[in-house]
Amino acid sequence: MKYLEIIVISLAVTLGGIVAYQKFVLPKKERKIYIVDTEKLIAAEKRLLRMGITQGRLNADEVKTLDLKFKKIINYIAQRDNAIVYVKKAILSDNYDKDITNEVLMIGISK
């Protein structure tokens, strides 16, 4: 009787491991498609440059570093979510998962 209990428990643990692997590990391998609107990012940079320089809060060098900051944020989001990021102009259809432009702007502009 003990052997039967051990076999049943071993099978239950093995099946639980297989189900957990399929549920939590395999979905992470699915690639998502995100888009980013670069025109919106450039417009935000220009607006920041005009506002910051005229009000004395930013200098031109700080705003120029936003390009690099935006690029790092886009790469971070792509790696975090296992996604491929395209520029909005390059997408011909609406077959994408998420537009990350606003997320990039919120992270990039906040200090």
Side-chain angles (χ1 to χ4, degrees):
M1 191 66 175
K2 286 257 189 200
Y3 295 114
L4 183 61
E5 290 175 3
I6 292 172
I7 291 172
V8 169
I9 291 172
S10 296
L11 285 174
V13 169
T14 304
L15 288 176
I18 291 172
V19 170
Y21 177 78
Q22 288 178 341
K23 184 167 181 130
F24 298 110
V25 175
L26 290 181
K28 291 180 182 178
K29 294 183 180 180
E30 294 177 7
R31 301 289 298 219
K32 298 175 185 155
I33 298 175
Y34 290 172
I35 63 164
V36 65
D37 190 357
T38 54
E39 290 178 1
K40 195 172 184 180
L41 295 177
I42 292 169
E45 285 180 12
K46 287 180 181 178
R47 192 177 33 217
L48 276 174
L49 183 62
R50 282 194 305 268
M51 286 175 22
I53 289 177
T54 56
Q55 295 175 2
R57 288 187 293 170
L58 295 172
N59 59 23
D61 293 332
E62 289 176 328
V63 176
K64 288 179 185 176
T65 59
L66 276 177
D67 283 335
L68 183 60
K69 192 174 184 181
F70 285 154
K71 183 179 176 182
K72 286 181 181 178
I73 293 167
I74 291 169
N75 286 335
Y76 168 75
I77 292 171
Q79 289 176 354
R80 178 192 70 192
D81 296 344
N82 195 23
I84 301 170
V85 180
Y86 290 103
V87 176
K88 192 169 188 173
K89 287 183 179 181
I91 298 292
L92 299 176
S93 67
D94 291 334
N95 193 18
Y96 56 87
D97 294 322
K98 186 175 168 183
D99 184 353
I100 61 169
T101 307
N102 291 332
E103 188 176 352
V104 171
L105 281 172
M106 285 190 320
I107 295 170
I109 294 175
S110 66
K111 287 191 174 187

